[in-house]
Amino acid sequence: MGLTQIATSILTALLVGALTRGMFRIYFLLALSVLAIYWFQPVVPLRSFDFWIPALSLALVILTWSITSQAGVWRSRPNFIGLSIIIALVTLIDLSRYILPDPILTATTPPQFIQYFLFAIVGGAMILLFSRFSQKWTLPVAIVLLITILLILKSPILSLQASIFFRTLAHRPIENASALDLRWLGFSYIAFRLIHVLRDKQMGRLPELTLPEFATYVVFFPSLSAGPIDRAERFASDLKKDFALTQDETLLAGQRIIVGLFKKFVVADALALMALNDMLATQVRTTGWMWIHLYAYAFQIYFDFSGYTDIAIGIARLVGIKLPENFLSPYTKPNLTQFWNNWHMTLTQWFRAYFFNPFNRWIRGYKTIPAWMMILVGQLATMLLIGLWHGVTLNFILWGAWHGLGLFLQNRWSDFVKTRINISNPRLQATMQLGGILLTFHFVALGWVFFALSDPSISWQVLMKLFGLSS
């Protein structure tokens, strides 16, 4: 989000928090979130895709809600109104091409109405068809569909092939096709929210939600582009509570927003001028300057990401939603486990709940596998998946492996210290605490080399320069 979008989000949140109550508050938040998913969507070189991509997001939301809800829920008043709000707003956005001289909510002109109408008919038919079949197979099919889309978007090779396919379909030259053509705003977070709902439904622990509650949860405009990843039942409980915006709540939200703006647009943007990147990696010659650029990147990515999170949490508080924390001073933690318990916490918790814990329960069934091997495989697999979530590239795989191995070594060291070393002395405890903080920070910082750069060969050159092993 840019400053204009943030300012507009703050203003609209203030109006909703101050003027709406009950179901009207939910309906207004749904409408704002639908409009935001179009307005926030960046321009896409493929014709009208800045309209189609948000439309597909909303279609996936409605599809997921329909297959996780009981039969006949469409007849209830809130669900009918929620569906009407979504359809009406998307239709108005498409019809704006005939009314307005220039698009307002989309980066380019929306498609012709007949194209949108056919999309709505086909999409509606598919959703009705899916909702008629047993959840036994519709739930896993929906999960596979979301993972497949995520894989295509995160893989440069698959994204490029998808761009070529759509350009060919539209009779456009494929020479300009790029892996960056398919920029789907917030899909990583949308997909994880939807997968969470689908998995909870499979496990029988998903509460019934109305369509307005569910759709607002998935595409909630403050957390649409950068998280955090909330849980549906927790979000819905805030949404259903009576809320009136008070002076104290406004001040608390305002403080959080100001802190976030300072982190992102002052500190992070200043550090970005000297943060490690591909160009600097090849130009820097001295070890000292390479460390400076690496430190700048380590703090830039923290202040950028945590700043956006603070802004999202502050705006959400203005409408009565208390989003979960995502960062709690991660660089001050004395070991890698505590770092990951305090860095991008909602992502870590998601993988722990939906992959690490189930995987560990499964692998423990193999009694012949030693305990240390189970720990290694579980932590390595989890961190590799987190790396792949950021992008299906070799550098993100290396970054995930770096942290997976680091967590395993830290686990082994912690067990060794507990049984072999007496650290009851306060001075020794303080020394080990400080040493742990410095070691953990530098381990994480070295891992950012893989994260910040695009090619393993460049990453290797940087690592060599950092330790004075390259001329």
Side-chain angles (χ1 to χ4, degrees), residues 24-279:
F24 283 104
R25 169 168 150 263
I26 298 175
Y27 294 145
F28 269 99
L29 288 177
L30 172 61
L32 288 173
S33 298
V34 171
L35 295 175
I37 200 173
Y38 277 93
W39 192 34
F40 294 173
Q41 170 63 39
V43 64
V44 178
L46 299 168
R47 183 179 300 169
S48 298
F49 262 57
D50 50 284
F51 176 89
W52 293 123
I53 286 175
L56 285 169
S57 293
L58 294 171
L60 288 170
V61 170
I62 297 171
L63 171 65
T64 303
W65 174 79
S66 68
I67 65 175
T68 55
S69 300
Q70 294 179 354
V73 291
W74 295 99
R75 301 187 186 95
S76 74
R77 180 181 175 86
N79 295 332
F80 179 77
I81 293 175
L83 183 63
S84 299
I85 289 172
I86 295 172
I87 294 175
L89 289 175
V90 177
T91 303
L92 285 173
I93 292 170
D94 184 69
L95 289 174
S96 68
R97 69 170 284 143
Y98 304 105
I99 303 169
L100 303 173
D102 296 303
I104 295 177
L105 291 175
T106 54
T108 59
T109 304
Q112 294 181 1
F113 181 74
I114 186 63
Q115 295 176 323
Y116 162 68
F117 182 74
L118 290 173
F119 168 83
I121 294 298
V122 174
M126 292 294 294
I127 290 170
L128 288 174
L129 182 64
F130 261 72
S131 62
R132 288 180 178 275
F133 287 98
S134 169
Q135 292 178 343
K136 187 175 182 180
W137 75 268
T138 56
L139 296 178
V141 166
I143 292 173
V144 171
L145 173 63
L146 292 167
I147 293 174
T148 301
I149 297 173
L150 198 59
L151 184 63
I152 292 172
L153 295 175
K154 295 294 184 178
S155 169
I157 296 174
L158 295 178
S159 292
L160 177 60
Q161 293 304 312
S163 175
I164 292 172
F165 170 78
F166 287 119
R167 284 175 179 270
T168 304
L169 204 63
H171 303 291
R172 296 189 63 190
I174 63 173
E175 292 77 15
N176 298 326
S178 166
L180 301 177
D181 284 349
L182 297 175
R183 293 188 288 273
W184 193 325
L185 176 82
F187 186 77
S188 297
Y189 295 99
I190 290 172
F192 271 35
R193 293 184 189 110
L194 294 178
I195 293 172
H196 139 62
V197 168
L198 292 164
R199 284 292 298 141
D200 278 10
K201 185 64 179 180
Q202 286 181 319
M203 301 297 291
R205 59 191 184 203
L206 180 70
E208 283 295 321
L209 301 175
T210 65
L211 178 58
E213 293 166 352
F214 181 80
T216 303
Y217 156 69
V218 178
V219 295
F220 186 49
F221 67 96
S223 59
L224 179 61
S225 60
I229 306 171
D230 205 352
R231 298 187 68 85
E233 60 272 22
R234 199 221 60 77
F235 183 93
S237 67
D238 280 357
L239 203 56
K240 293 174 183 176
K241 289 177 184 175
D242 290 333
F243 174 75
L245 186 61
T246 63
Q247 184 177 3
D248 289 343
E249 196 67 29
T250 304
L251 287 174
L252 287 172
Q255 290 171 359
R256 196 64 184 265
I257 292 169
I258 290 170
V259 169
L261 289 170
F262 181 78
K263 281 183 179 180
K264 168 64 184 83
F265 294 101
V266 178
V267 180
D269 284 2
L271 288 170
L273 299 174
M274 59 186 304
L276 182 66
N277 56 45
D278 282 352
M279 184 178 294

Side-chain angles (χ1 to χ4, degrees), residues 317-455:
R317 289 198 70 146
L318 293 174
V319 295
I321 305 296
K322 295 183 179 179
L323 293 175
E325 295 292 341
N326 225 11
F327 296 89
L328 288 176
S329 304
Y331 285 150
T332 64
K333 305 309 173 187
N335 60 60
L336 203 55
T337 298
Q338 290 191 35
F339 168 83
W340 276 106
N341 286 336
N342 293 276
W343 174 279
H344 207 339
M345 294 156 57
T346 57
L347 178 68
T348 305
Q349 291 162 3
W350 192 98
F351 271 98
R352 184 181 294 124
Y354 295 104
F355 178 77
F356 182 76
N357 290 340
F359 182 82
N360 269 1
R361 287 194 294 269
W362 171 76
I363 202 172
R364 283 173 188 164
Y366 293 89
K367 304 298 184 182
T368 57
I369 301 177
W372 67 267
M373 180 65 74
M374 294 182 185
I375 295 171
L376 173 61
V377 172
Q379 291 176 331
L380 193 58
T382 303
M383 293 311 302
L384 284 172
L385 283 176
I386 292 177
L388 290 169
W389 179 79
H390 288 89
V392 185
T393 67
L394 185 53
N395 258 34
F396 283 124
I397 291 172
L398 291 172
W399 176 78
W402 175 265
H403 277 277
L405 292 172
L407 285 166
F408 171 72
L409 293 173
Q410 182 249 307
N411 176 275
R412 298 293 86 196
W413 168 252
S414 297
D415 285 353
F416 175 81
V417 169
K418 289 177 185 177
T419 57
R420 304 291 180 85
I421 301 177
N422 183 5
I423 53 172
S424 58
N425 185 290
R427 288 187 178 181
L428 180 59
Q429 288 180 356
T431 301
M432 292 189 69
Q433 179 82 0
L434 179 60
I437 293 171
L438 291 173
L439 181 63
T440 301
F441 170 75
H442 283 89
F443 183 91
V444 172
L446 290 172
W448 291 134
V449 171
F450 301 109
F451 198 95
L453 304 176
S454 62
D455 189 84

